[in-house]
Structure formats: structure tokens, C-alpha cells
Amino acid sequence: MNTPQAIAFDEFGRPFIILKEQEKKRRLTGLDAQKSHILAAKTVANTLKTSLGPNGMDKMLVSGDGDVTITNDGATILSQMEVEHQIAKLMVQLSKSQDDEIGDGTTGVVVLAGALLEQAEQLLDHGIHPIRIADGYELAAQIALEELDKISESFPINKDVKGLLVETAKTTLGSKIVSRCQQQIAEIAVEAVLSVADLERKDVDFELIKVTGKVGGKLDDTMLVKGVLVDKDMSHPQMPKVVKDAKIAILTCPFEPPKPKTKHKLDVTSVEDYHKLREYEKNTFIEMIKQVKDTGANLALCQWGFDDEANHLLLQNELPAVRWVGGPEIELIAIATGGRIVPRFSELTSEKLGHAGIVRELSFGTTKDRMLVIEECKNTRAVTIFIRGGNKMIIEEAKRSIHDALCVVRNLVRDNRIVYGGGAVELACSLKVGERADKISTLEQYAMRSFAEALEAIPLSLAENSGYNPIQTVADIKSRQVAEKNPRLGIDCMNNGSNGKHENSKMQLVRVLYIRLIFNYFIIIIYLTILSCN
């Protein structure tokens, strides 16, 4: 069938064809549009559902360039998916918001949002208006938050007693590739956060924690450096590998003669002119080195490179130097050593030098890889987590895992309340919301019951991923929570017989939730529901 078309002319008299395809397009409205939006969100949630919990499956993601990423981190999976639907993109943003604000629970929040929308679809089929559904969800969220405050437990944060912090950090590592080394990595994460934490203000400056990795070795070689690690070595192989009581000049100006900033050019037409130019360059290098040494510096870190002549003169004048240090590393070194970044040699003074107890060069086995470690810094709070792994993929996943563990410990410093995981808290809130729904006479009671059913999506997914019969397992735990009045009962994902009945139950069933921010992600879900249903 021929497509209807028309010919029009532009201002220059050139013809162009107008294709009339609007007749083939159909605009979705009403309930069809709402269901289309909900279906897109459910599809994204179902994709992540199998990655939830310690027994969840990893996803293999292949980029257009052929790079392979294997992870079960919800935010990473969604950020690398090519999502076209606008409501599905909102689910991606929801996961990213959870990652930015809390750092953990990025998979669970998407699964919960998908369950809420799935329940909203059934209510729409019964003719309930989207605004009434959203009102009921918001009322149920408030009840759930009140229940969270009641069943939460607190414990003191103390730098001398780290056992509970390590156990809670381990809960976020159990489902990761690094679970084999979860004890070691949890201890590193706790030590790193406590090193930079201000317990009086309940604040953690993540800018002082640098996470870096290098291919080679094994995960067990991952370590915490109380200082700064720079992936560089001394600019000359004969320079000393260890500098004690280092006074560091942090430079963002290159060791080279100034170049004319005009359109004029310099012509060298004779041997005498060449020798004069060479002498000028040499004198300039020597003057720069003298300016650095006059301040008392015994180590120079330069953001830019310098040529072999400058490198040789630095060696002759016994001034160790490091070149091509990146901008973020320069800033972190300045913070750690208490130094100032100097953009010109003329501005360098002894007061602007950074101070460190020792700067040493590390070498790795039989390889030629070398790195600089700056330790015993003036600001002892700056730390670096150095990850080793067999390949780049392992190191990148270890970085994501350590980020989650750091965020968990950071959240505990900010708010030292915990609730029990394994779906226990979701079931407790579900029971409470269902109980309160029976006391409400308005139409919102149906939305509240749907909210309570949606909360059960988390324990159902955990049970299914752990190989249990999901409906039977969740029904059994719900009845036990009611009979025993114990909100700490959850899914035994690790199959270790721990049922959470007592306060000293195994911490594998504990997942840290930053309760003050849970309200934020409930509100985001409510906003998503309203937008999807309009």
C-alpha cells in the first residue's frame, strides 16, 4: 500500500516530500496507558529480582565495546542497561538515588517499587482512582515508618569496640564476589570509616577515603594504607626509594623554561645561539630546583612532566621527584600532608610544604609495577584502600562491594539504629499496615492492604532465591511473628539454623537500614506511582 504523501516547496523553490504517517500511530490513553507504564516498571523490577539476597544470581553485562561486567549490584546493572521507556528510566533513577543517599539496598528498592506498582494495577482494574491509591500508599508508608522506629535497636559506636560494626559490614558483602574475603574486607571498611569519622558530629568525609586497585595478586592481598597511595614511582631509577621525614613541595607548574606567549618564534641560526639557548634552559632548571630546595623541601611532586635534562639535574642536586601525578591525587596528598598546591615556583615557601613521616616505593613481586606510599601524614585521617585482583573485572566488582560496605558503616555512624534483615522488617511492617487497614473505613484501606502485600515481595524473593518454597516459607514466618510477637524472624538465607528469636541471634540475618532515609525512598516510590498512573 502506498504511503500518503504530499509535495511542498521551501523558500528557494526546492521541493520536499511530506509523509503522512499519523494515521498509523495510536495514542494510548486512560487505563491502557497506565498499564503500559506499570508493565515497563515491572519488567525492570523482575530483571533485578533474581539478584536479591546472598544467594541471588550475578548478571553479565556486555557493553557495545565488548567490555564484560559481572555484578549483582542493582545500581550498576540498571546504569548499564539501555532503557528506552520513560517510566523504566524512573526506576533507574530511583536505584541511583538510593545508591547516592544510602549506598546499599539498590536492588531491594527497585523490587519493592515494582511490587507496589503491580498491586496498584489490580486496584486500577477495580476502578479506584490513582490519587486514592497514592494517598493510601502514603498513609501506609507512615505506619511502616512508625513500626520501624519501634522495632529498631541501637548500639553505641566506639572506635575501641569494632566487632558489631564488622558484623554489620559483612552482611552487605555476603552476596558479592568478594564474599570469600568478607571478614578481611569488612574489617578494612570499618577501619577506614572510623579513621576519617568525626564521632562527635556524626559525620564521615568520604573525600578522605581513596579506593584504588591494581591488577595482579589476589583478593587476600587487599590492604588498608594509613596514608595516600599514588600509582607512580620516582622519576629517575637512581633516586632514593625511601624518603623519611618528607617535606613535600606540591607543584602544578612544570619543570621547564617559560615559553613565549606571543606569535613570535625563536630562530636558532648558529652554534653560538644554540649554546646560549641550552645554557639558558640549564640555568632555568637550576634556578627552579634551587627555589624548591631553599624552602627545605626534600621531595617534589609535580602534576606535569619534565624532560630528561631536568630529571638529570634533579638527581644531581639530590632532590627526589615524582612526575605526572593526577589532579585528584594531588588534592588528596595536599589534604593528607597539610600542604598547599603551588602553581608557580616563585610562590613556593616553607609554610606551603606538606609533611609526611615516610614516603616509600612499593614493588610487586617480579613485575616492574611500582607505587608510592605516603604514610604518617600530618593529617592522619586520610586513608587508601588498595585492592588486588586477578583481572580488571574482579577489581571493579571489589570496588563496588567495598563502596557498599563503606556506606553501611558510614550510615551506622550517622544513625546507629539497625533493624533485622532477611525480610523480617518487611514482614513486620506488612503485618502492622494490614492491622491498621482494618480500622480504616475509607477507600484508602484497599491501597493500604495492597501496600502490605507489596512489602512481602522482598521476603518472597529472598526465599525463592534461597531455594525454599516462597509462599509456604513466608506464610510460616508471618504466623510465627504474630504468635511469638517477635519482629526479628526472617528468611534463613544462609541455611545456618539462625531464626532471629533472641537479641543475640547471628548477625547474618541483620541488614543495616538507614532509617531516616527510608522515608525518602518511600516518598520516591509514591511519586513514581502517581506519575505512572496519571
Side-chain angles (χ1 to χ4, degrees):
M1 184 179 68
N2 294 328
T3 303
Q5 59 186 33
I7 297 179
F9 298 90
D10 61 12
E11 62 270 23
F12 300 106
R14 293 176 298 200
F16 59 90
I17 298 174
I18 301 174
L19 299 177
K20 300 179 180 179
E21 294 184 346
Q22 286 85 350
E23 298 174 2
K24 296 182 179 180
K25 295 184 178 180
R26 187 169 61 91
R27 184 184 296 274
L28 290 176
T29 58
L31 190 60
D32 290 337
Q34 295 164 356
K35 287 191 173 184
S36 172
H37 293 164
I38 292 174
L39 178 62
K42 282 164 55 180
T43 303
V44 174
N46 290 334
T47 303
L48 290 188
K49 189 178 291 185
T50 53
S51 296
L52 188 66
N55 296 314
M57 293 185 292
D58 293 343
K59 298 286 186 291
M60 177 183 285
L61 308 170
V62 183
S63 68
D65 299 329
D67 294 333
V68 177
T69 302
I70 297 178
T71 182
N72 66 356
D73 181 68
T76 305
I77 294 170
L78 290 178
S79 65
Q80 297 195 22
M81 287 173 59
E82 294 183 2
V83 180
E84 296 293 336
H85 199 283
Q86 298 303 315
I87 299 301
K89 285 182 179 179
L90 280 176
M91 298 289 277
V92 176
Q93 294 173 12
L94 174 66
S95 180
K96 187 178 184 303
S97 300
Q98 176 83 359
D99 191 40
D100 293 341
E101 293 289 344
I102 301 176
D104 194 19
T106 51
T107 305
V109 71
V110 174
V111 173
L112 182 56
L116 286 168
L117 291 171
E118 187 174 353
Q119 294 293 328
E121 184 178 14
Q122 298 177 16
L123 296 175
L124 289 170
D125 288 336
H126 286 89
I128 300 177
H129 195 275
I131 298 299
R132 302 300 294 270
I133 297 173
D135 289 343
Y137 276 8
E138 188 167 4
L139 185 58
Q142 295 285 356
I143 296 168
L145 287 173
E146 293 172 6
E147 183 66 11
L148 282 176
D149 288 331
K150 289 179 183 177
I151 65 177
S152 63
E153 298 179 10
S154 303
F155 61 84
I157 303 297
N158 193 333
K159 289 188 176 182
D160 300 325
V161 182
K162 304 173 185 174
L164 286 174
L165 286 174
V166 172
E167 291 295 330
T168 49
K170 283 170 62 178
T171 61
T172 194
L173 298 171
S175 59
K176 310 291 184 185
I177 287 179
V178 299
S179 59
R180 179 175 60 84
C181 307
Q182 65 176 355
Q183 178 70 30
Q184 175 191 355
I185 293 178
E187 291 173 358
I188 288 174
V190 170
E191 188 67 33
V193 171
L194 292 182
S195 297
V196 304
D198 186 343
L199 296 183
E200 292 183 2
R201 294 173 53 205
K202 294 186 176 182
D203 185 40
V204 178
D205 187 1
F206 266 11
E207 295 294 325
L208 295 175
I209 302 176
K210 180 186 175 187
V211 181
T212 185
K214 199 170 188 66
V215 174
K218 51 188 179 180
L219 275 173
D220 298 306
D221 298 331
T222 300
M223 62 180 178
L224 178 69
V225 177
K226 293 292 186 69
V228 182
L229 202 64
V230 185
D231 192 7
K232 300 292 176 185
D233 56 358
M234 294 296 181
S235 61
H236 197 286
Q238 295 181 17
M239 287 180 178
K241 308 301 181 188
V242 178
V243 179
K244 294 184 178 179
D245 192 21
K247 299 178 180 64
I248 307 170
I250 305 170
L251 306 171
T252 56
C253 46
F255 273 97
E256 62 181 23
K259 298 177 181 178
K261 297 181 180 179
T262 65
K263 295 181 181 179
H264 301 290
K265 62 180 180 178
L266 181 64
D267 290 328
V268 179
T269 58
S270 65
V271 176
E272 289 78 10
D273 290 344
Y274 174 78
H275 284 300
K276 285 181 182 179
L277 178 61
R278 182 178 178 279
E279 193 66 25
Y280 166 73
E281 286 187 349
K282 184 177 178 181
N283 291 336
T284 305
F285 287 139
I286 292 174
E287 178 63 26
M288 290 175 175
I289 294 170
K290 184 176 180 297
Q291 286 178 319
V292 175
K293 293 204 72 172
D294 286 346
T295 62
N298 56 5
L299 177 64
L301 297 181
C302 187
Q303 187 176 10
W304 302 101
F306 36 84
D307 59 17
D308 292 338
E309 185 178 2
N311 203 15
H312 178 69
L313 289 171
L314 285 165
L315 177 64
Q316 277 190 334
N317 288 272
E318 298 179 349
L319 181 61
V322 183
R323 54 186 167 186
W324 298 120
V325 182
E329 285 84 2
I330 283 275
E331 294 177 4
L332 191 60
I333 291 168
I335 294 171
T337 60
R340 297 281 296 276
I341 298 174
V342 180
R344 298 180 186 86
F345 285 96
S346 58
E347 297 180 9
L348 185 61
T349 61
S350 57
E351 290 79 15
K352 295 180 180 180
L353 298 179
H355 298 271
I358 184 171
V359 178
R360 57 191 175 93
E361 197 176 89
L362 283 179
S363 59
F364 303 103
T366 57
T367 65
K368 295 182 180 179
D369 291 334
R370 292 180 177 87
M371 300 183 80
L372 280 181
V373 182
I374 304 173
E375 295 178 303
E376 301 175 20
C377 301
K378 185 176 181 180
N379 181 3
T380 56
R381 295 172 61 202
V383 296
T384 302
I385 298 174
F386 182 46
I387 304 169
R388 303 305 307 280
N391 55 42
K392 184 179 178 183
M393 183 192 68
I394 293 291
I395 288 176
E396 292 301 319
E397 180 64 8
K399 282 183 180 180
R400 288 186 286 267
S401 303
I402 288 177
H403 168 73
D404 288 352
L406 290 172
C407 289
V408 164
V409 183
R410 186 267 316 264
N411 296 339
L412 271 175
V413 171
R414 290 183 173 179
D415 186 346
N416 64 343
R417 293 181 293 173
I418 63 168
V419 287
Y420 284 77
V425 62
E426 285 86 358
L427 285 177
C429 291
S430 173
L431 290 169
K432 191 67 177 179
V433 171
E435 178 187 331
R436 293 280 291 274
D438 294 336
K439 301 177 182 178
I440 292 179
S441 59
T442 58
L443 201 61
E444 282 76 13
Q445 62 174 299
Y446 295 100
M448 292 176 66
R449 291 195 185 95
S450 296
F451 190 97
E453 289 185 25
L455 285 173
E456 295 179 13
I458 300 294
L460 282 170
S461 299
L462 288 173
E464 186 175 359
N465 293 343
S466 300
Y468 300 125
N469 184 329
I471 297 176
Q472 180 179 343
T473 305
V474 171
D476 177 54
I477 293 174
K478 279 180 68 176
S479 63
R480 287 179 59 193
Q481 279 203 11
V482 174
E484 301 175 22
K485 296 182 180 179
N486 185 0
R488 296 185 295 275
L489 290 169
I491 308 296
D492 185 9
C493 300
M494 307 301 291
N495 196 24
N496 55 16
S498 174
N499 55 20
K501 289 175 66 175
H502 306 289
E503 291 189 14
N504 61 352
S505 62
K506 290 185 182 291
M507 297 294 285
Q508 279 89 345
L509 292 182
V510 179
R511 182 166 65 91
V512 181
L513 293 177
Y514 191 16
I515 297 175
R516 286 193 290 116
L517 284 174
I518 285 180
F519 178 72
N520 289 351
Y521 85 65
F522 272 130
I523 289 300
I524 293 171
I525 294 168
I526 294 163
Y527 161 76
L528 177 64
T529 306
I530 296 173
L531 190 60
S532 300
C533 296
N534 279 340

